[in-house]
Structures are given as C-alpha cells and as structure tokens.
Amino acid sequence: MDGKLNLNGGTFMSIDHHANPFDPEQFRVSDSLGITGDGIKKELTHVRVGKPKKSSFFRAHPDEIYRIPVSVIADDSGGMKDEYLVMPNIAFQYAEETTPKLLVLCVDKMGIPFLWLAPRVVDDSPMRTNLWNETALKGLELALSKWVRLSANMQEGCYTVHTAGAEPDPVWPDLTMAQLIELGFGEEKIIRSDQHPLIRKLLGRD
C-alpha cells in the first residue's frame, strides 16, 4: 500500500481493496489472562462461593492446601441460601446447626476461580451419606486431574459426572487460601463468636 498526503501535510495509508476485510488476523489480540494491552493487571476483588455451575467444566486445585475441612451454618431466611464459615469452637457449641464441608479452590474454563463448599463425610456423624454427596465427591476427585462437569440426574437422585478430553491445565490465581477466603466470605460471613448476628438470630435474641 502506498502512503498518500493528507490535508495536514502528513501521510496516511490507503486501503487495500483486495484484502479481506473480515480477515480474523486483523482482530487478534493478546490472549494473556488478566493482562490488558497497556500492561495493567486485573486484580480479583471478589470470589464466588458456590457449587460448580451445571453448564461449565471446572478443575479443582490438586494441592491439599487449597482443600480445607470446615464447618458451615446455612441461612436461607432471605430467600437465597447463604453459607457462613464457623470457627471450630463455635461449631462445637452449635453442632446441631452446623454442616461439615470441604472448602475447595476451583476454576472454570473461562479462568474464573470460585470456592466450592463440597460435601465432607465425617466418620462420627449420625447423618448418612447419600448419592448426591457420593457422586459430587467422585466428581471432585476426578477434577483434581481432569476437566469435569456435574449435572443433576433427578431420576437417579445423584450427579452425572462428565469429563472432557485432553485439555490444557488451568491457570490458577496467584493468591493464598487466606486471601481467597477473604474475597469469598469477608468478615461478615465468618462466625467467630456467639455474638454474630446469625447465631443471635438462631437463638432468638434478635
């Protein structure tokens, strides 16, 4: 293409009318996750806490430091279920209100991390295991090394576990589990004493 003089005395490039205006290469940008074209990194300001989405494949972090046995108390009084992390001494005091869970760092194929409160089987728990929990845990085990999708099989009362073929490993966030918990729960969803608003509500004090 030849340079041509514009009205301000500069030059501009003439359009090559023989080039394909829909050539995908002209739209290509860098595929670096979380990095913009000016080198500015996108910082995580929130991490979703919840189950894997039924339409998405995900991976679970293979390092045990990103899988923590915890206790939670669920609150569904607002129409949506919110789960609160409970300190062990408070969980012991309010054992009937708490549920054992496994807090796991996961990431979906879009590279978005989330914290899954997966089922956790406790040996001395009077609660029996069920197919939902058993199949969820099988999916979690597979997700340590494979891309997995869980779909609810209502007829069988369990999850159907789907695995993807050979796929690249995920890019994990460069954050500690402490930082992820802070982004996922914040201080308001951690129960450290019996003065927490949820405990007071369960006891009828508020």
Side-chain angles (χ1 to χ4, degrees):
M1 293 185 291
D2 297 328
K4 295 185 178 180
L5 186 69
N6 68 16
L7 296 178
N8 295 319
T11 60
F12 64 91
M13 301 305 293
S14 62
I15 298 174
D16 183 354
H17 294 285
H18 298 289
N20 183 349
F22 303 104
D23 181 358
E25 290 302 317
Q26 67 185 312
F27 305 107
R28 186 184 296 277
V29 295
S30 172
D31 196 27
S32 300
L33 182 65
I35 303 294
T36 62
D38 54 8
I40 299 174
K41 183 179 179 181
K42 295 178 182 177
E43 298 288 347
L44 275 176
T45 57
H46 174 73
V47 174
R48 180 177 72 87
V49 178
K51 296 179 180 179
K53 295 180 179 179
K54 62 182 179 181
S55 59
S56 298
F57 281 87
F58 71 96
R59 288 283 298 273
H61 203 295
D63 194 324
E64 288 187 1
I65 65 172
Y66 289 99
R67 299 194 301 278
I68 304 174
V70 297
S71 296
V72 303
I73 294 180
D75 177 26
D76 56 5
S77 61
M80 295 182 64
K81 185 167 79 169
D82 288 321
E83 292 180 297
Y84 293 70
L85 279 184
V86 187
M87 297 294 286
N89 62 315
I90 301 299
F92 179 78
Q93 293 180 51
Y94 302 98
E96 292 183 358
E97 305 290 347
T98 64
T99 304
K101 295 281 187 174
L102 189 65
L103 185 63
V104 185
L105 172 61
C106 301
V107 67
D108 66 19
K109 277 202 168 184
M110 297 295 292
I112 300 173
F114 64 97
L115 293 171
W116 180 17
L117 284 167
R120 179 165 65 92
V121 178
V122 180
D123 293 336
D124 59 354
S125 173
M127 297 178 63
R128 293 185 177 182
T129 183
N130 58 59
L131 275 177
W132 290 108
N133 289 348
E134 287 179 3
T135 50
L137 288 174
K138 287 179 181 177
L140 172 57
E141 184 178 0
L142 286 170
L144 297 175
S145 58
K146 298 180 179 181
W147 288 98
V148 167
R149 182 171 69 84
L150 300 179
S151 60
N153 185 333
M154 303 306 293
Q155 280 190 321
E156 299 294 333
C158 65
Y159 288 105
T160 299
V161 181
H162 309 265
T163 57
E167 297 281 350
D169 286 334
V171 176
W172 296 101
D174 186 21
L175 296 172
T176 65
M177 197 58 165
Q179 292 171 313
L180 292 163
I181 289 173
E182 181 179 5
L183 292 175
F185 292 90
E187 190 60 35
E188 66 275 10
K189 286 193 175 179
I190 297 178
I191 300 177
R192 302 184 187 274
S193 78
D194 56 9
Q195 296 304 306
H196 188 279
L198 181 57
I199 295 294
R200 293 182 62 84
K201 183 167 67 174
L202 292 174
L203 296 177
R205 295 175 183 170
D206 287 335

